[in-house]
Amino acid sequence: MIKYDIGIIGGGPAGMAAAISAYKNGAKNVAIFERDTRLGGVLWQCIHNGFGLTRFKENLTGPEYSERFYDEVKALPIKIYTETMVLSFSEGVITAMNKSEGIFDVEVGAIILAMGSRERSRGALTVQGERPAGVFSAGTAQRYMNIKGYSVGKKAVIVGSGDIGLIMARRLTLEGTKVEAVCEIMPFSSGLRRNIIQCLEDFDIPLYLSHTVTEIKGKDRVEGVVIAKVDENKNAIPGTEFEIDCDTILYSVGLVPENELTKDAGVELSPRTRGAVVDQFRETDMSGVFSCGNVLHVHDLVDFVSEEAETAGKWAASYALSGKREKKFAFTEPGQGVGYTLPQRIDVTDDKPFKIYFRVRAEKRDATLRLIKNGEVVREIKKSRVAPGEMEYVSFIPKGLNEGDTLTVEVI
Amino acid sequence: MKDTVCTVCPKGCEVKVEIVDGKITLVEGNGCDKGKEFAIGEFTCPKRVVTSTVKIDGGDMLPVRTDRAIKKELIFSVMKKIKSVKVFTKVKTGDIIIQNVDGEGANLVSARSLDD
């Protein structure tokens, strides 16, 4: 059986950064398993800019950002499998499949999960109507337009005001499709404020907060939508319905980490992040299996993905070369105002500082962030503005933290 | 009071601007001078980087971008020019696809390298 120090599942931005980091940290035999025809993941279709502001202090498009890592991966002796599907993994083994080798096993010193996320679909939302052509997930429409050069329709309504929906509102408009409206079921948008400005306000595209599409009209092709206001339980308020004529609907209603393989392998997943439970080194509860990027928790900025992947790569290399370490865990918990914290557990035998990432449940101004250890406030920080659509972090040093302790992050 | 988000650095400061009789009388919320400049620019002569795609002859689409921000009112005329162009050769990231695409010195450049 072929053996690699590190087997990386997924060759997008997380997989590439993890591979480079693992190599630079001493793992000389690194392999990436990618199911698409090339590395780069979803970045190739993200032709808009806004990438790399933190990492490179430049404002890059997705392809430009991706190419920085792609070039570095190609320059190193990293084994790249493309058009190769991983079927399963367990401690020390990855089973994959491709045209030339059929189904094959590889032995690995450590595994890094970097499979990214997929989009939630209209089907998951149970919207009334037939099944006319013209209903796309925003990412599919993005791929059709930006990779293939197709127009997806003439008049569109977008459901969901997260960043992907906002970016596509602008993209469609620039390419001649009239975007009639963006609907958002929550009373606030989860997208970055700069995207609201540059994608909606720039083009006078109306944003209907606390609204959703309740019915799709049309049999063979979309003919229109019925939009209604919703109450605080997200139920349509009768009498508030209005119709918009359109031939295209884009759904941008959330990303879901793609953890089928992870679940099958028996790795513990968190229902809050829908990704693996990890420690500050991004190791899961399965020895030698690490996770990073969108498959671990959905990110807003790829700069953070690269940083996280480098952490996973470094410690996966350490595991592959030096073996398993005995760890003792304390735990993080989301408190008031916080949706999740990551890492969910902290190895207290190590005292290196690290970042605790979290997301708040609602937009707040002049908020107070508190770190609470076993019921006692250990740190308080003022934050001028926090929002669910913008992942936050707080730096932390695990000194004085003991096994079994709970560290709660609250934002009020 | 009008507000915008500065995009110069990742801080993304929310900058508020007061405009009286078409003149900017107050700028606040900026974390630095670049932010002040950005906000003033946003309400006097707003500019945007345009990103789009260009057809590759015999292939898919090539991502392209303007190499600097262009005046907002010129965006759609730039889009028209982008639609009229096709790429036939190898390109490297940064190669100029359309020189002076906005008539004011910005170029349209490739956002990726193509080997064929």
Side-chain angles (χ1 to χ4, degrees), chain A residues 64 67 147 175 193 202, chain B residues 48 60 65 83 93 113:
Chain A
E64 285 165 330
E67 207 164 77
I147 305 285
E175 290 289 354
R193 173 95 189 110
D202 270 11
Chain B
R48 299 281 183 262
D60 288 338
R65 58 170 303 154
K83 278 208 236 279
T93 304
S113 300

Side-chain angles (χ1 to χ4, degrees), chain A residues 89-144:
Chain A
F89 70 86
S90 57
E91 220 178 295
V93 183
I94 288 176
T95 302
M97 174 182 76
N98 63 25
K99 263 186 278 201
S100 47
E101 312 191 47
I103 298 179
F104 62 102
D105 283 346
V106 303
E107 209 182 309
V108 287
I111 297 173
I112 302 178
L113 307 176
M115 298 87 84
S117 296
R118 70 159 77 89
E119 297 177 280
R120 275 172 84 209
S121 64
R122 172 224 173 157
L125 302 178
T126 56
V127 179
Q128 241 186 296
E130 307 256 8
R131 294 178 64 179
V135 181
F136 303 89
S137 63
T140 301
Q142 189 183 54
R143 191 179 172 102
Y144 276 139

Side-chain angles (χ1 to χ4, degrees), chain A residues 80-232:
Chain A
I80 301 169
Y81 290 91
T82 51
E83 293 183 273
T84 300
M85 194 77 178
V86 170
L87 300 174
S88 68
F89 70 86
S90 57
E91 220 178 295
V93 183
I94 288 176
T95 302
M97 174 182 76
N98 63 25
K99 263 186 278 201
S100 47
E101 312 191 47
I103 298 179
F104 62 102
D105 283 346
V106 303
E107 209 182 309
V108 287
I111 297 173
I112 302 178
L113 307 176
M115 298 87 84
S117 296
R118 70 159 77 89
E119 297 177 280
R120 275 172 84 209
S121 64
R122 172 224 173 157
L125 302 178
T126 56
V127 179
Q128 241 186 296
E130 307 256 8
R131 294 178 64 179
V135 181
F136 303 89
S137 63
T140 301
Q142 189 183 54
R143 191 179 172 102
Y144 276 139
M145 290 182 76
N146 296 343
I147 305 285
K148 292 293 179 187
Y150 298 148
S151 166
V152 292
K154 298 192 173 67
K155 266 185 172 199
V157 165
I158 299 178
V159 180
S161 70
D163 289 320
I164 304 174
L166 299 177
I167 294 290
M168 285 312 290
R170 175 175 61 189
R171 186 76 187 112
L172 287 169
T173 305
L174 289 181
E175 290 289 354
T177 299
K178 179 97 182 23
V179 178
E180 299 285 13
V182 175
C183 281
E184 168 57 57
I185 203 166
M186 298 297 275
F188 53 83
S189 165
S190 62
L192 298 169
R193 173 95 189 110
R194 73 162 185 255
N195 286 334
I196 300 276
I197 295 171
Q198 298 194 359
C199 301
L200 299 187
E201 291 175 14
D202 270 11
F203 304 106
D204 295 319
I205 296 171
L207 170 63
Y208 294 100
L209 294 176
S210 300
H211 278 73
T212 195
V213 166
T214 54
E215 196 182 331
I216 296 177
K217 300 231 168 208
K219 191 161 191 297
D220 296 320
R221 178 79 199 196
V222 170
E223 282 166 18
V225 290
V226 176
I227 296 175
K229 190 152 193 232
V230 298
D231 61 26
E232 57 283 345

Side-chain angles (χ1 to χ4, degrees), chain B:
Chain B
M1 269 302 206
K2 288 190 181 245
D3 71 283
T4 188
V5 172
C6 178
T7 55
V8 175
C9 90
K11 265 186 90 178
C13 296
E14 284 190 13
V15 188
K16 286 189 167 52
V17 162
E18 192 180 68
I19 302 175
V20 177
D21 293 332
K23 281 209 156 78
I24 293 179
T25 50
L26 181 65
V27 178
E28 64 181 17
N30 50 305
C32 73
D33 282 338
K34 284 195 190 158
K36 183 175 179 181
E37 249 179 71
F38 176 90
I40 292 173
E42 193 57 10
F43 294 107
T44 53
C45 183
K47 293 187 170 166
R48 299 281 183 262
V49 166
V50 173
T51 60
S52 188
T53 53
V54 155
K55 180 102 179 81
I56 299 166
D57 186 55
D60 288 338
M61 306 301 284
L62 175 76
V64 292
R65 58 170 303 154
T66 53
D67 59 3
R68 58 178 208 219
I70 64 163
K71 289 182 179 157
K72 232 166 102 174
E73 65 257 27
L74 298 176
I75 291 177
F76 283 98
S77 69
V78 164
M79 286 304 300
K80 235 175 139 189
K81 286 198 190 149
I82 294 174
K83 278 208 236 279
S84 69
V85 159
K86 237 192 229 185
V87 170
F88 290 87
T89 59
K90 270 205 261 200
V91 286
K92 282 210 348 267
T93 304
D95 281 354
I96 295 178
I97 306 292
I98 304 177
Q99 187 112 28
N100 193 17
V101 69
D102 66 337
E104 305 206 343
N107 299 313
L108 188 78
V109 300
S110 177
R112 69 167 290 187
S113 300
L114 264 189
D115 294 322
D116 42 44

Side-chain angles (χ1 to χ4, degrees), chain A residues 48-68:
Chain A
H48 50 282
N49 62 349
F51 302 93
L53 287 170
T54 313
R55 190 177 177 92
F56 299 117
K57 311 233 182 300
E58 295 176 61
N59 196 337
L60 304 174
T61 61
E64 285 165 330
Y65 187 97
S66 188
E67 207 164 77
R68 304 255 168 128

